[in-house]
Amino acid sequence: MQFLLAFIVAAPLLGSAAALLPAPPGLKGKSPEQAVLRHGVTVTGVILAAAVALTLGFDHDAPSRIQATTDISWIQALNVRIHLGVDGISLPLLLMTALLFFLCALYSYFKLPAGPSPKAFVALLLVLESGTLATFAVLDLLLFFLAFEMVLIPMYFLIARWGGAQRQAAAWKFILYTLLGSVVMLLGLLLIGVTAGTFDMVALASDNGRELSHTTQILAVLAIGIGLAVKTPMWPLHSWLPDAHTAAPTVGSVLLAGVLLKMGTYGFVRILLPITPDGMATFAPYLGAFAAVGIVYGSLACLALARKGNKGDLKRLIAYSSVGHMGFVLLGIASMTPTGVNGALFANIAHGLITGLLFFLVGALKDRYGTADLDTLAGATGAALYGRAPRMGAFLAFAAVASLGLPGLAGFWGEMLALFGAFDAAEGLSRPAFLTYTAVGAFGTLLTAAYLLIVVRRVCMGDPKAGPELAVADIQHYEFAAWTPLVALTVLAGLWPAVLLGLTDPAVQKLLAGGNS
């Protein structure tokens, strides 16, 4: 188990270096390009297999205990250690990350985005995987920061070199926002580590903030929270996200929504809730307010984009929907209750699966029609997916109803538990304020249903014989292979939520109790 976790974190870096080397003569296949793309599928597949093995070997009777630990002294002068481990909070995120990277590598093998060298594409993808996996596995504040920052450069290049229109501006906006947030976050992490005398997240969580004064906790939450909120992204620090998603290649959008956004909310749960509980209690009402506004703002932006004549880009619409969905995650965290935090963690996984599927589908639509503009897709010729590409229409309708939170699918449980947590927020938090946030969030679910049903009606329905004949290929075999696991897991988590809650709940209970429960 210890070796498996270290392998999962380090192997993508080794695979990235190997991707830049010439392919051995016997493994070139039809071309060197095919060889390096196959290399990407192989490495991400091995990482996924290792993550599955780690999950099977995980002691499911003790999900609150940190398992598969590695703890080695690294920088003695600062008391920084290479400390790795997983519990019921990080294991589902680790597994989902490994799965999404494998599916993206598989999809890219058949549909590589236009851009420079495939070698560089695969190498960047694997560096990105290593950084995201490390973020969910490290248990040292400075290592967390390094892993958190490690993803910026590869994602910048994936957007800037393999993206679509306005990709340079979107890539610069992405990296400037996240770098500025990260500088502030580093100051907060250093403040905690220097004041407490350790950067070890397990020791700090067990101490539950007792070594940190109230002022120190407030300053730390403010600094670290800004950096995490930018990556989440929380309204009003979200404006980099729609541009980045619109410009990014399909797999870039899938990974950005499915994995990178989760790093911010994971930091709130892993660092701020257990290490600075008093500071979090001070800022929780404000976090809840921003979350509630984000839920409604994201939904209203999507409604505006979905309206006829507004030239709404479908990728941009789904990006704004992420602002709303991540608002539910932040609302659950702001409640500071086991119910709310479990809902936030569940919504994290549900959003990764469902929005990843949505971005795959919109990317495929854009490839077929040459545009993701909603008015064009619903124009005189009409996408009319139910008539022209019925299986793709069915997948899009499924992803839409899953995203709007239909009971029986994964999206339902996270949002419901987050609202329940806000309805009965932790002792000491303003009940009238959180009741208001609950009502606003519930209203946001209605707006979410409205814009998603409008999208399905405009894209999937219509007369396939209207206008000039337009041959549209239905789902290809590689698309079916990449999308079906996301559909299956969305149904599984929706029908059997104990799969996730059985892992997260004991770990959340212990985390909120400062390691004493």
Side-chain angles (χ1 to χ4, degrees), residues 7-189:
F7 174 80
I8 288 168
V9 172
L13 278 181
L14 300 176
S16 176
L20 298 174
L21 301 174
L27 298 177
K28 283 185 177 179
K30 296 179 181 178
S31 69
E33 289 188 1
Q34 186 189 51
V36 74
L37 292 172
R38 187 168 59 244
H39 171 78
V41 176
T42 302
V43 173
T44 54
V46 169
I47 299 302
L48 176 59
V52 171
L54 182 71
T55 304
L56 294 175
F58 187 82
D59 183 359
H60 292 263
D61 293 328
S64 62
R65 178 168 56 86
I66 300 292
Q67 302 181 36
T69 55
T70 298
D71 193 1
I72 304 170
S73 179
W74 183 33
I75 306 175
Q76 289 186 354
L78 296 176
N79 196 21
V80 177
R81 308 182 68 80
I82 299 176
H83 192 182
L84 305 176
V86 290
D87 62 0
I89 292 171
S90 53
L91 183 64
L93 289 165
L94 200 78
L95 188 60
M96 184 182 72
T97 299
L99 173 66
L100 285 175
F101 271 94
F102 171 69
L103 296 181
C104 285
L106 180 66
Y107 187 85
S108 300
Y109 179 81
F110 295 95
K111 193 71 179 178
L112 181 69
S117 162
K119 282 191 171 188
F121 177 83
V122 171
L124 288 169
L125 199 69
L126 293 174
V127 172
L128 185 65
E129 181 175 24
S130 182
T132 51
L133 289 169
T135 301
F136 301 131
V138 297
L139 296 170
D140 183 277
L141 290 179
L142 288 188
L143 273 185
F144 176 85
F145 176 77
L146 293 176
F148 199 84
E149 296 306 289
M150 185 177 167
V151 305
L152 298 186
I153 299 302
M155 182 53 75
Y156 167 82
F157 281 110
L158 286 175
I159 296 171
R161 303 303 297 275
W162 283 269
Q166 305 297 320
R167 59 182 182 268
Q168 290 288 350
W172 274 111
K173 197 171 185 179
F174 160 75
I175 201 163
L176 287 176
Y177 261 78
T178 48
L179 272 178
L180 288 173
S182 298
V183 169
V184 182
M185 184 175 76
L186 177 60
L187 295 176
L189 295 173

Side-chain angles (χ1 to χ4, degrees), residues 26 64 79 187 219 233 240 296 303 315 318 324 357 401 407 454:
S64 62
N79 196 21
L187 295 176
L219 291 174
W240 62 270
V296 174
L303 272 174
K315 289 187 77 175
I318 298 170
L357 177 60
V401 297
I454 289 172

